[in-house]
Amino acid sequence: MNSRRDFLKNLALASAGMVLAPSLESFAAAKKDWFDISLAEWSLHKTLFKGDLNNLDFPVVAAKKYGIYGVEYVNQFFKDKANDNNYLTELNMRAKDNGVRNVLIMIDGEGNLGDEDETKRKQAVQNHYKWISAANFLGCHAIRVNAAGKGTPDEVSKRVVESLTTLSDIGKKAGISIIVENHGGISSHGDWLAKTLKAVGSKYCGSLPDLGNFYEYDRYQGVTDLMPYAHGVSAKTHDFDANGNETQIDYERMLKIVKKAKFKGYVGIEYEGTKLSEEEGIFATKKLLERLRPLI
């Protein structure tokens, strides 16, 4: 397939940008906590959509305003920049200058990996190639994708497995993992998503359990299902009580599930509430994670 051959050729060229990416050693502490805290860009989506913040300044704000040194980008805030090496170089420099690690890119709007139309499905897979390349350039460890499509659970799973297998093979060459979030629909059934990831059977394909994105399915069981495949965790929050606890999710119980799975990596703050401002919600979530982390 010419598109894949061209992608791999471009990837080799883009890899030169990794010299600008922060090194893992520069973030190593004398004694590391069992998880690090990152900030998901979606926590600031209202501010970004209003134009009061742009994607280039996101790592700067994460470090200087929130004291968070890992960032999770959302592709829609730099949708046309995946192949722009000048832009990505500038983003790398702003992260590096502030001691920030580029953790991952969340990918939306590139087509359904479980689409029943084979042509559309293959196009969706190809649409993700450029984001694997961009993640490689930025020194990320993963891109987050969605497992969506119409049909029976088994039909969608079969198509998603095919798409994820292709992307994982590409990701392996780039050193980028393809991780799936429980993001609505059938993907928010932990057993279904776990079974689908098991069928892919690649260490470059895993999950990004979102603690809040379970609807018909028990959230604690869902996280338990997905943790064996986790390459990260999304700490979804909406509201807090007077003691600083999330009102919809028992975070102590959740973090015990996460630690029991021997997880070590980034737990990303993703505040989506409306009662607190984005700033207040981010700080409240950070405070909750920092309070519970040494107790579990």
Side-chain angles (χ1 to χ4, degrees), residues 217-245:
Y217 199 85
D218 180 81
R219 70 177 76 251
Y220 304 99
Q221 182 59 51
V223 174
T224 300
D225 293 338
L226 296 178
M227 281 311 302
Y229 306 94
H231 291 223
V233 173
S234 186
K236 180 66 59 62
T237 54
H238 290 93
D239 196 16
F240 300 84
D241 63 22
N243 295 318
N245 293 311

Side-chain angles (χ1 to χ4, degrees), residues 107-122:
I107 313 302
D108 300 302
E110 294 291 6
N112 292 332
L113 297 179
D115 202 298
E116 55 192 340
D117 184 304
E118 184 177 4
T119 300
K120 291 181 179 179
R121 185 169 69 253
K122 288 183 176 180

Side-chain angles (χ1 to χ4, degrees), residues 250-261:
D250 183 340
Y251 257 75
E252 182 173 355
R253 181 179 175 186
M254 280 296 195
L255 290 179
K256 285 180 178 177
I257 294 171
V258 171
K259 188 171 187 181
K260 186 178 180 180

Side-chain angles (χ1 to χ4, degrees), residues 138-251:
L138 291 171
C140 300
H141 77 88
I143 63 169
R144 188 275 280 145
V145 304
N146 298 304
K150 295 180 180 179
T152 68
D154 286 346
E155 289 170 343
V156 177
S157 180
K158 182 179 179 180
R159 299 185 204 116
V160 169
V161 167
E162 181 181 329
S163 296
L164 290 178
T165 298
T166 300
L167 287 175
S168 297
D169 288 344
I170 294 291
K172 181 178 180 179
K173 294 178 175 67
I176 299 296
S177 294
I178 313 301
I179 59 179
V180 186
E181 179 182 351
N182 47 302
H183 209 191
I186 192 63
S187 75
S188 287
H189 289 246
D191 55 352
W192 180 90
L193 184 51
K195 181 180 178 181
T196 298
L197 296 174
K198 183 178 181 180
V200 177
S202 170
K203 70 176 183 178
Y204 284 90
C205 183
S207 66
L208 181 68
D210 185 303
L211 306 186
N213 284 353
F214 295 97
Y215 307 101
E216 304 158 344
Y217 199 85
D218 180 81
R219 70 177 76 251
Y220 304 99
Q221 182 59 51
V223 174
T224 300
D225 293 338
L226 296 178
M227 281 311 302
Y229 306 94
H231 291 223
V233 173
S234 186
K236 180 66 59 62
T237 54
H238 290 93
D239 196 16
F240 300 84
D241 63 22
N243 295 318
N245 293 311
E246 219 284 336
T247 57
Q248 298 179 30
I249 302 169
D250 183 340
Y251 257 75

Side-chain angles (χ1 to χ4, degrees), residues 28-32:
K31 183 178 180 181
K32 289 182 66 65

